[in-house]
Amino acid sequence: MAQSSQHSSKQRIVIVGGGTAGWLSAAIIAAKHNSGPSECGLDITLIESSDIPTVGVGEGTWPTMRNTLKDIGLSEKEVFRRCSAAFKQGGKFVNWVNPQGDAYYHPFTVPLGYGRVEMAPYLDDIANFANATNFQQHVCEQNMAPRTLSEAEYSSAQSNYAYHLDAGAFADLLKEFCKDKLGVSHKVATVDSVKKAHGSDNIESIQLNDGSQYHADLFVDCSGFRSLLLGESLKEPLVSTNDVLFNNSAIALHVPYDGDYEIKPYTQATAQEAGWIWDIGLSSRRGVGHVFSTDFTSDDQAESILRNYVGDTDAKLKARVIRFESGYRKQIWKGNCVGVGLSAGFVEPLEATALMLIEISARYIAEQMPLPQAAMPIVSQRFNKQMQYRWQRIIDFLKLHYIFNQRSEPYWVANRDPSSIPESLKEDLEIWKYRGPQIADFSAAIELFPAASYQYVLYGMGFSPDFSLQSHFYRDQALADKVMSQNKLITQQKLSSLPNHRDYISQWLEG
């Protein structure tokens, strides 16, 4: 039987595709328009096929997820119980400069004194920047939780944090919550065909394999890499970034803990000869995967490196191969269709940007709907402009991790090639040669990564600006010394008061 938005006074949103993208979008939009138990100010239906598997590998999040889950109304403890979750307090990058022994942190808490004093000019060793200005890497090295048991859930007064979680279990929890608490309708079916409106970029309706037809004011494409609505039907092309970010494949393993294990409260990214390995600690297992470029190594070689890393040389663990093309769609909101998640674009999971972009996109939709037809072109144009900026910034930031390596393998040499560095990043680096990244360089209200993130990565890799040209600005030695001694004191306090990460999770969930 035909379904139509005309049957309801509410505006209708149809989300095509489940998984994390579909159900997180549904939850964010429905929670914003929640007007009571299972009541929603919008008519939201999610259609997902029972026979299309989700990618479901991305297990790292960005700190934005904390407020997202809180706003949706989920219990943080329930997320930990259901999704084998653990805390993530930043990223540790191992061997990205040289093949042996170097490491630096990108913590989630900004440097002490941030916004009051530029600390880099006062340091004897700039590669020690995170260590001298932030307690969090010490906490991570000791495998500690970001807070104590006396603090309430979602409390981040002491440390900024995100999560590691099982993406499949997370999607299931969101599905249940959307259906039971947020009034989202759920339909299990496959899209057979898409009918476009005559003479426009609008989608008139979608036909399902059970014969039913769905109309909507807005279609949200969460169909993954296939991009069924935005890519296939509306023919919006992918803007490739393969010339900047070379990785196009990943091999993933679920690795069980053995013996008396620790749960790392950070994502570790260890550079390899033609890519890097992520190592993510969940409370029940590790998620480990090798991101690499098939232009520089083979699948077999990449898998061998991964199995050697986890100690699975007899290949007992089941590997999963994922192919992807780096890029994004220039128009992510086209007509009455908006792509969210992989259908909009994808780049390697180096800084956990995938889920963050889902959050941002869904929040934008939630804040704009309900929307008169006449206003949609304006709203979509603004959205596309913002998202294009964000994608460019993400690509710049990810590339930043690669260009100061000193490794000799062809993959790493190619990553240093100036022709692979975006012009926008080259411009930033030209300025930063003399003063380093500053807060004023990131003045847009829609920035994803603050100046602090760029400072941690750049200085961690040994990039050292020549501060002499502006030496007259740097007369705050006394304040800088005070910040460094204060950081030492805070670090000691944290190390003596914060609980072990694994112990915290088990005691918290028992309580």
Side-chain angles (χ1 to χ4, degrees):
M1 191 177 113
Q3 306 270 337
S4 170
S5 55
Q6 277 77 33
H7 294 172
S8 165
S9 59
K10 297 176 183 178
Q11 285 205 334
R12 164 166 281 189
I13 296 177
V14 169
I15 300 170
V16 175
T20 312
W23 287 110
L24 185 56
S25 297
I28 290 169
I29 298 166
K32 180 79 175 173
H33 296 269
N34 193 12
S35 52
S38 296
E39 277 296 315
C40 184
L42 295 168
D43 185 338
I44 303 171
T45 300
L46 186 146
I47 299 164
E48 65 176 336
S49 171
S50 58
D51 54 8
I52 297 174
T54 57
V55 174
V57 171
E59 291 168 329
T61 65
W62 192 248
T64 49
M65 185 61 78
R66 198 175 61 245
N67 285 332
T68 293
L69 297 181
K70 193 176 179 182
D71 291 346
I72 289 168
L74 277 168
S75 151
E76 191 175 34
K77 200 175 271 194
E78 183 72 0
V79 173
F80 271 69
R81 282 202 181 104
R82 293 278 299 273
C83 307
S84 300
F87 292 107
K88 175 185 175 184
Q89 299 186 63
K92 181 180 182 180
F93 297 87
V94 179
N95 299 342
W96 282 70
V97 180
N98 294 296
Q100 290 301 327
D102 70 271
Y104 72 89
Y105 269 89
H106 173 197
F108 284 156
T109 302
V110 298
L112 201 61
Y114 188 64
R116 284 188 301 138
V117 58
E118 291 285 339
M119 290 298 295
Y122 303 100
L123 300 178
D124 295 330
D125 177 12
I126 204 161
N128 197 38
F129 177 79
N131 194 24
T133 63
N134 191 292
F135 64 85
Q136 206 156 23
Q137 74 178 68
H138 300 278
V139 166
C140 287
E141 284 292 289
Q142 296 300 316
N143 296 312
M144 290 175 151
R147 63 170 182 244
T148 61
L149 284 163
S150 63
E151 293 173 86
E153 69 172 22
Y154 291 119
S155 169
S156 59
Q158 296 210 33
S159 307
N160 196 19
Y161 67 83
Y163 310 101
H164 290 149
L165 41 77
D166 181 315
F170 185 47
D172 288 342
L173 173 61
L174 289 167
K175 178 195 289 192
E176 191 180 293
F177 194 77
C178 282
K179 291 165 67 175
D180 295 349
K181 298 285 195 293
L182 296 176
V184 175
S185 301
H186 180 215
K187 172 90 172 173
V188 179
T190 305
V191 176
D192 256 359
S193 61
V194 179
K195 186 179 180 185
K196 284 174 63 180
H198 184 68
S200 81
D201 282 329
N202 281 350
I203 292 171
E204 190 175 298
S205 63
I206 55 172
Q207 183 90 22
L208 306 184
N209 62 344
D210 63 359
S212 60
Q213 195 181 59
Y214 278 75
H215 298 261
D217 297 281
L218 185 70
F219 289 90
V220 181
D221 186 351
C222 296
S223 63
F225 287 129
R226 186 181 172 193
S227 194
L228 173 65
L229 304 183
L230 186 61
E232 286 188 17
S233 300
L234 296 180
K235 307 294 185 209
E236 182 60 29
L238 197 72
V239 178
S240 174
T241 58
N242 290 336
D243 57 334
V244 177
L245 300 169
F246 303 152
N247 295 330
N248 58 12
S249 299
I251 298 177
L253 299 171
H254 288 176
V255 182
Y257 286 119
D258 53 355
D260 190 25
Y261 62 92
E262 291 282 4
I263 302 173
K264 289 179 179 175
Y266 55 90
T267 297
Q268 182 163 313
T270 305
Q272 306 298 323
E273 61 188 46
W276 57 276
I277 287 175
W278 78 75
D279 194 336
I280 284 175
L282 303 177
S283 56
S284 61
R285 62 167 171 84
R286 285 157 66 203
V288 186
H290 188 180
V291 182
F292 62 97
S293 168
T294 54
D295 292 335
F296 294 90
T297 192
S298 66
D299 284 4
D300 288 347
Q301 177 65 4
E303 186 171 333
S304 172
I305 288 168
L306 177 62
R307 291 192 186 277
N308 282 335
Y309 175 90
V310 300
D312 182 43
T313 48
D314 52 1
K316 284 182 180 172
L317 300 174
K318 188 183 175 201
R320 182 157 177 223
V321 181
I322 299 140
R323 302 278 185 226
F324 57 88
E325 183 180 354
S326 272
Y328 60 94
R329 296 178 200 279
K330 196 169 182 181
Q331 288 189 87
I332 295 173
W333 189 326
K334 191 171 187 176
N336 64 344
C337 173
V338 56
V340 176
L342 301 177
S343 63
F346 182 74
V347 287
E348 60 176 272
L350 187 61
E351 287 280 5
T353 52
L355 290 177
M356 173 168 56
L357 286 170
I358 294 169
E359 295 173 74
I360 288 166
S361 302
R363 196 172 293 120
Y364 189 94
I365 295 166
E367 287 166 356
Q368 300 302 325
M369 298 296 285
L371 187 65
Q373 193 85 41
M376 198 169 282
I378 301 163
V379 168
S380 62
Q381 187 181 13
R382 289 181 176 181
F383 177 78
N384 289 331
K385 192 175 176 183
Q386 287 184 19
M387 293 306 285
Q388 199 172 347
Y389 177 82
R390 288 187 172 112
W391 275 106
Q392 287 166 348
R393 282 304 224 188
I394 286 170
I395 290 153
D396 281 2
F397 186 55
L398 297 191
K399 185 64 176 180
L400 188 74
H401 294 66
Y402 287 95
I403 57 182
F404 295 105
N405 80 80
Q406 296 165 21
R407 297 179 63 124
S408 60
E409 299 98 332
Y411 168 89
W412 292 97
V413 173
N415 262 301
R416 297 197 295 266
D417 189 323
S419 67
S420 73
I421 303 172
E423 285 303 316
S424 49
L425 181 55
K426 282 181 183 170
E427 289 174 10
D428 283 335
L429 291 169
E430 190 58 39
I431 296 168
W432 295 340
K433 277 182 192 174
Y434 308 103
R435 61 165 176 75
Q438 294 180 357
I439 293 172
D441 297 331
F442 303 88
S443 55
I446 55 173
E447 294 291 352
L448 299 179
F449 298 103
S453 292
Y454 283 80
Q455 291 169 355
Y456 287 135
V457 173
L458 268 179
Y459 300 152
M461 296 191 80
F463 177 90
S464 188
D466 177 2
F467 293 110
S468 63
L469 203 65
Q470 298 185 350
S471 59
H472 53 286
F473 288 153
Y474 307 121
R475 294 175 179 164
D476 291 323
Q477 186 68 54
L479 178 56
D481 289 343
K482 188 179 176 185
V483 167
M484 282 186 270
S485 61
Q486 199 179 351
N487 184 58
K488 281 181 183 171
L489 189 66
I490 292 169
T491 301
Q492 288 166 357
Q493 289 170 344
K494 300 285 187 193
L495 293 177
S496 62
S497 64
L498 288 172
N500 174 271
H501 188 205
R502 181 183 164 197
D503 292 347
Y504 175 93
I505 293 171
S506 61
Q507 288 172 34
W508 182 48
L509 296 185
E510 281 168 14

